[in-house]
Amino acid sequence: MKLSLVVPCYNEEANVKRFFNEVNNVFLCNVDDYEFVFINDGSKDKTYDNLKEIYEENSAYNIQVLSFSRNFGKESAIYAGLKAAKGDYVCIIDADLQQRPEVVLKMLSEIEADDSIDCVAAYQEERNEGALLTKFKSAFYTIINKLAEVDFVNGASDFRLLNRKMVDAVLSMSEYHRFSKGIFSWVGFNTKYIAYEAEEREYGESKWSFLKLFKYAIDGIVAFSTLPLRLSIAAGFITAVISIIYLVVVILQKLIEGIDVPGYATIIVLILFLGGMQLFCLGILGEYLAKVYVQTKNRPLYILKEHLGKENKNENDYYDFQ
């Protein structure tokens, strides 16, 4: 198998058939051997019904449909798709056609032209988003690049083509809370970045609200940097030093200059300041501890309800414990 398309789907009933037809039209005479790996991530609409129709009505094509028992999130869907993919090259692409199959052809030509390239990742030079969201994402990349030990390219998404060596390396990563952008950078390999322009979504709505993006950003920082833990130590030390300096100043004012310092307001301010810093540091510790707690439960990343197109099924095909 030359190429596998890993396609996470969540409430994409209006797009999956359009995506399937569009890929086949673009790949005609350009890619001879390819497969679709659709992952229905617990959709609440008719996404699975449409995927099942695609599978049953197009036996001439290589198609797999993995359907989760509930919504486990895009990160789990990506992992499940990579694990099921059979291709020498694997491309992760969304089903909403904002990421065009023509870009996949460009990725494929880039990686085949240079044996030293292991991955081709697409990034957006200009985002077709609101100003606030664009600034938030840019700020996230600025912060995480200062905190993390690996580099993150601003605008680069999960839309990328990987060779089999890199796919196997990504699958070897064992964490439960997955942050694929960081994993792609952490495993290394030679990645080439190409610019692309995301198309406007014609049907459906984006599944990423501002709150979800904020949570995702926190997960990424916690997953690939321990610097916040060190910052909490520094914050505690600085707070203690400031408190001591303030206390010395108050005493000197009282003893030398005879200035009466209102005690009630001073105590309240100090309590609020010190208490706030303690809660902030405890919150950072809690984020890391929560990740460890969930990881030690050793729960599966996902549970499959159905897997169409899988040969030689057994009971272990329906979940993954890492």
Side-chain angles (χ1 to χ4, degrees), residues 17-271:
K17 288 186 176 180
R18 295 175 56 249
F19 173 85
F20 178 76
N21 293 329
E22 192 68 18
V23 168
N24 289 325
N25 290 334
V26 172
F27 281 12
L28 184 65
C29 301
N30 290 305
V31 184
D32 296 328
D33 191 13
Y34 61 95
E35 70 167 344
F36 294 89
V37 183
F38 292 104
I39 304 93
N40 174 41
D41 186 19
S43 298
K44 298 177 181 178
D45 59 5
K46 295 183 179 178
T47 297
Y48 177 71
D49 294 335
N50 290 344
L51 290 175
K52 189 174 182 179
E53 287 181 11
I54 292 173
Y55 173 77
E56 293 175 345
E57 296 173 1
N58 297 275
S59 58
Y61 293 91
N62 296 306
I63 303 172
Q64 294 188 62
V65 177
L66 291 75
S67 185
F68 287 174
S69 61
R70 65 168 177 84
N71 178 246
F72 284 88
K74 187 177 181 181
E75 292 293 338
S76 294
I78 290 175
Y79 181 87
L82 292 177
K83 187 176 180 183
K86 304 173 183 175
D88 299 319
Y89 301 108
V90 181
C91 180
I92 304 167
I93 183 172
D94 292 340
D96 55 17
L97 287 174
Q98 289 188 280
Q99 300 168 347
R100 296 290 305 174
E102 290 88 352
V103 181
V104 179
L105 292 182
K106 185 177 180 181
M107 291 177 174
L108 194 59
S109 64
E110 292 281 354
I111 203 168
E112 288 184 325
D114 189 347
D115 292 337
S116 67
I117 297 175
D118 301 293
C119 173
V120 180
Y123 71 94
Q124 296 183 59
E125 285 185 316
E126 296 183 4
R127 296 182 179 275
N128 299 321
E129 301 167 333
L132 178 62
L133 189 58
T134 299
K135 289 181 180 179
F136 172 76
K137 289 185 176 180
S138 297
F140 162 73
Y141 281 105
T142 300
I143 293 171
I144 199 169
N145 276 317
K146 291 182 179 299
L147 298 179
E149 298 176 355
V150 295
D151 294 327
F152 293 80
V153 176
N154 192 349
S157 65
D158 301 318
F159 184 27
R160 59 187 66 209
L161 181 75
L162 299 77
N163 65 14
R164 176 49 57 180
K165 290 184 297 183
M166 188 167 177
V167 170
D168 292 340
V170 170
L171 291 175
S172 71
M173 301 290 284
S174 60
E175 57 256 46
Y176 181 88
H177 295 279
R178 303 184 69 78
F179 187 74
S180 290
K181 293 183 182 67
I183 291 174
F184 294 142
S185 297
W186 192 92
V187 297
F189 295 95
N190 187 15
T191 300
K192 180 173 183 178
Y193 293 90
I194 62 173
Y196 87 105
E197 183 176 351
E199 301 292 329
E200 293 290 337
R201 173 187 277 268
E202 294 187 24
Y203 300 96
E205 298 178 351
S206 173
K207 312 307 183 296
W208 291 97
S209 64
F210 183 84
L211 183 61
K212 287 184 178 179
L213 286 172
F214 181 77
K215 182 179 180 298
Y216 189 60
I218 296 298
D219 288 343
I221 293 172
V222 172
F224 284 91
S225 176
T226 57
L227 188 58
L229 291 172
R230 298 189 182 98
L231 290 177
S232 67
I233 297 174
F237 176 77
I238 292 171
T239 302
V241 170
I242 292 174
S243 300
I244 293 172
I245 293 174
Y246 181 79
L247 179 62
V248 171
V249 170
V250 169
I251 293 174
L252 290 176
Q253 285 180 329
K254 179 69 175 178
L255 295 177
I256 298 175
E257 301 180 10
I259 299 175
D260 290 330
V261 180
Y264 178 76
T266 302
I267 292 174
I268 292 298
V269 170
L270 282 174
I271 290 174

